[in-house]
Amino acid sequence: MSALQKMAVIDVRFLLWLHAISRRKVSAFVARNVSRCGDGYVYALAGVAAWQYGGSNGVDFFRTGVMAYLIELSLYFFLKNTIRRPRPHGLGGLSALINPSDTFSFPSGHTAAAFVFATLCAVFFPAFALPALIAAVLIGLSRVVLGVHYPSDIAAGAALGVACAGVALLLI
């Protein structure tokens, strides 16, 4: 078995283990709500609040965030529609606990956006870095628990988010 095949086996095993946790109602409820925190409107509201109340750091946070999200969304759509990895529906009896907004899973857009936000918080508002990072990790894990992403989709989303924030920081 090749290294890539071994990684795929680990990816599927971790997916099925995390999804099994979601069969408990409390976990599924929590995962749905954590995942909703990764919807774009949360970042837009936080950006506007930072712009209005965060002084010069808030303005820079907002401007850099707009740039980072433009880069992230462009790359996300390109990768998702080029790679076209199917979501894990039906794998090992897995059923998704939510209806995803599209057909493909790689990379996780929710995770990418969460890591853009966490990275920018670390730069502009360091006091919020740890809570933002924890939230980003939980958002990513929630997408696996909900059955709409593989763990490797989450890792790729995290890398994409950090990279896009980094590029935006260089450009602004």
Side-chain angles (χ1 to χ4, degrees):
M1 185 181 289
S2 73
L4 191 57
Q5 289 170 322
K6 287 178 184 177
M7 286 175 30
V9 168
I10 291 168
D11 201 24
V12 170
R13 284 183 182 161
F14 190 44
L15 162 75
L16 294 174
W17 177 76
L18 278 174
H19 189 68
I21 293 169
S22 71
R23 294 178 198 252
R24 296 184 213 131
K25 281 190 167 194
V26 173
S27 293
F29 173 80
V30 170
R32 280 188 193 98
N33 286 295
V34 168
S35 179
R36 284 187 190 118
C37 291
D39 293 346
Y41 67 87
V42 173
Y43 307 121
L45 289 172
V48 170
W51 179 28
Q52 291 297 309
Y53 306 109
S56 63
N57 266 5
V59 172
D60 291 343
F61 176 85
F62 180 82
R63 289 179 49 223
T64 309
V66 169
M67 175 67 73
Y69 284 115
L70 287 173
I71 296 167
E72 181 265 324
L73 283 170
S74 299
L75 287 172
Y76 159 79
F77 282 117
F78 174 77
L79 290 169
K80 193 160 262 212
N81 291 300
T82 300
I83 296 169
R84 303 173 67 99
R85 182 184 196 183
R87 292 195 184 266
H89 303 274
L91 185 67
L94 182 141
S95 59
L97 299 175
I98 60 170
N99 291 323
S101 60
D102 59 29
T103 307
F104 305 118
S105 72
F106 187 91
S108 167
H110 275 76
T111 306
F115 275 87
V116 164
F117 186 78
T119 302
L120 295 180
C121 281
V123 171
F124 294 103
F125 299 105
F128 295 104
L130 184 59
L133 177 61
I134 291 169
V137 169
L138 291 175
I139 287 167
L141 288 174
S142 75
R143 305 298 288 169
V144 177
V145 170
L146 292 170
V148 294
H149 283 290
Y150 294 90
S152 58
D153 300 340
I154 303 312
L160 177 64
V162 170
C164 291
V167 169
L169 286 162
L170 291 173
L171 293 175
I172 294 291

